[in-house]
Every structure is written in C-alpha cells, then in structure tokens.
Amino acid sequence: MEERKPKILLAEDDTNLGMVLKNYLELNDYDVELCRDGILALAAFRREKFDICLLDIMMPNMDGFKLAEEIRDVDPDIPLFFLSAKTMKEDIIQGYKLGADDYISKPFDSELLLLKIKAILKRNQELNSKEEEIHEFVIGSYTFNSRLRTLTHNGETHTLSPKENELLHMLCEHKNDLLPRELALKKIWGSDTYFNGRSMDVYIAKLRKYLKEDPNIEIVNIHGNGFRLVVKE
C-alpha cells in the first residue's frame, strides 16, 4: 500500500513563486495545494486535511495574518510557517504571536525551507505517536494528566494543546526547580532561537492564566535561565 504523502497548504499570490515552490515540494514527495488568496486557502483548509500550512502575508481578499487566525480557530496545533517579504520586527513578532512555528523572509533558500518542513513534521509525528504511560500530576488544587492533555480544577476540565501539554509536563517534571529555557525550546520547538523563545513566552502566559485560580501556584521567570513552577505546600 502506497504511503500517504504529507499534504501542504501553500497560500501564495505570486504566480511564479507559487508554481516554482509547488513543483519543488512535489518533486520532494509532498502533496501541495496552491491557493492564490486567503479566502481560497481558508476554503481549502476547511475542505481537506493538511499536515502543514505555508502562508504568504500580503495576499488579496484575506491577508496571511487573518488567514492564520482563521486556521488556528479550526486547528490550533497544525504547523504553520509564514513566507513573507515583510521583514519588520513588528510583523515577525505578530506572526509568532499568532502561533507560527517559523517566519521565513523572502527571498529564501528552498532547500532550507524543505529541511525546516521535514524537521517540524518529524517532531509532530514523534509527539503524536509517542506511547507513554498515564502521567498524572497534582499541582496545588489542579490535576494534570499529560497523556490525556487535561487540566482539571474544581470539577472543570480544560484540554491543552500539544505544546501547552509538553511545556506543562516539563514544568511538572522540574517542579520547584529550574526548567532551563534552552532545554524546553530544543525539545518542544526544535531550536533555541529568539523567535521560538518569544513563542514559548506566549505559551507560558497561557499556562499562568490556566493556573491562576490557585494562589499557591506560580510560574516564575528566572531571567535568562528559564522558569520554575513553584507550588507552595
């Protein structure tokens, strides 16, 4: 039985670049759906199952940032890369705040893009296929099950995203001790870069929000070194 090729949603309004990139990725055993604007890309995303999204930012009808928001509403965990000529720091930060796994500035090296796609898909495959025993942690008045990705408090259960789950799991393994920033970035994001660090900070803020009902719990930022999940007994 033929193995399914990973499917890529490519949203790019530049006809030449879009076709060149589509052909290159297809030659490397990817199934690519090319859409010329954000509205067509969103329709395709809702219609089919994709493994990764590559989004231009400056597109007609719906820009890449808005498209990313809509995609995240449907699937908060799908890998997402921005491919953009916009290189202002504010644009790059906005991309990572929207949950991008990478922000690649045009012009870019197609071979490097291919390596990044392979790395992110391999990471996700490992996270999704990893068989592990049920791990339950008591965090103050919360119960955290890292296999089910659930955080329970006062009878209410919240399902965590894979990255939230991995990050909280690592914090629990280092409870009341330092979780090195570099260790978490390399294990969950794949590399210790500035922008991956900004992305992790967003996820730390989310975890703080989820745990705020118990005043005895605090996620402390140890500047330049990492984080501590402090639970007062």
Side-chain angles (χ1 to χ4, degrees):
M1 185 176 179
E2 187 177 353
E3 186 178 351
R4 185 183 79 89
K5 295 180 180 179
K7 191 167 180 65
I8 297 174
L9 175 62
L10 173 59
E12 172 60 67
D13 70 327
D14 184 315
T15 303
N16 291 332
L17 175 60
M19 286 306 303
V20 168
L21 190 52
K22 173 180 167 68
N23 292 336
Y24 176 74
L25 292 170
E26 288 178 339
L27 284 172
N28 284 277
D29 292 324
Y30 291 95
D31 184 4
V32 182
E33 171 119 3
L34 173 60
C35 299
R36 306 296 186 189
D37 67 52
I39 290 179
L40 292 175
L42 181 59
F45 185 80
R46 287 173 170 164
R47 184 176 62 245
E48 302 179 51
K49 179 174 176 55
F50 292 92
D51 297 289
I52 188 170
C53 299
L54 309 181
L55 311 181
D56 183 25
I57 292 178
M58 294 183 288
M59 294 186 293
N61 300 322
M62 179 188 293
D63 68 28
F65 288 147
K66 179 60 177 175
L67 174 58
E69 289 179 357
E70 296 288 343
I71 285 174
R72 283 283 179 246
D73 284 342
V74 177
D75 185 346
D77 302 314
I78 187 167
L80 188 157
F81 288 5
F82 283 115
L83 310 177
S84 179
K86 301 183 76 172
T87 57
M88 294 288 290
K89 180 178 178 180
E90 293 78 8
D91 294 316
I92 297 173
I93 289 173
Q94 183 179 354
Y96 281 103
K97 282 184 175 179
L98 288 171
D101 292 271
D102 210 333
Y103 190 109
I104 301 172
S105 299
K106 297 177 182 177
F108 53 83
D109 185 313
S110 296
E111 186 176 357
L112 180 58
L113 173 64
L114 183 64
L115 291 173
K116 289 189 173 191
I117 290 172
K118 287 180 177 178
I120 202 76
L121 291 179
K122 181 181 178 183
R123 184 206 72 187
N124 272 30
Q125 185 178 27
E126 289 173 350
L127 287 175
N128 292 332
S129 64
K130 183 171 61 179
E131 293 293 331
E132 59 176 353
E133 297 177 2
I134 294 177
H135 286 294
E136 284 204 358
F137 299 89
V138 175
I139 314 170
S141 56
Y142 290 82
T143 302
F144 169 48
N145 186 313
S146 63
R147 183 180 181 190
L148 299 178
R149 291 196 281 121
T150 56
L151 185 63
T152 303
H153 184 256
N154 289 340
E156 294 187 5
T157 298
H158 176 77
T159 300
L160 301 174
S161 73
K163 280 184 180 176
E164 292 169 348
N165 186 68
E166 285 285 306
L167 187 53
L168 184 55
H169 194 173
M170 292 189 75
L171 285 166
C172 287
E173 289 177 333
H174 293 77
K175 187 173 77 169
N176 293 322
D177 201 353
L178 175 69
L179 170 60
R181 189 178 185 88
E182 181 180 3
L183 177 64
L185 283 170
K186 287 186 175 179
K187 182 174 181 180
I188 302 173
W189 276 264
S191 62
D192 179 15
T193 67
Y194 169 79
F195 292 109
N196 283 345
R198 293 298 299 266
S199 177
M200 184 168 72
D201 290 339
V202 172
Y203 279 86
I204 287 288
K206 289 181 179 180
L207 293 180
R208 286 183 175 129
K209 182 179 178 181
Y210 299 152
L211 297 168
K212 69 179 182 180
E213 299 301 323
D214 189 336
N216 293 315
I217 301 172
E218 186 178 8
I219 300 177
V220 180
N221 181 14
I222 309 300
H223 185 69
N225 291 296
F227 300 93
R228 287 180 64 214
L229 175 61
V230 177
V231 182
K232 298 175 184 177
E233 302 296 339

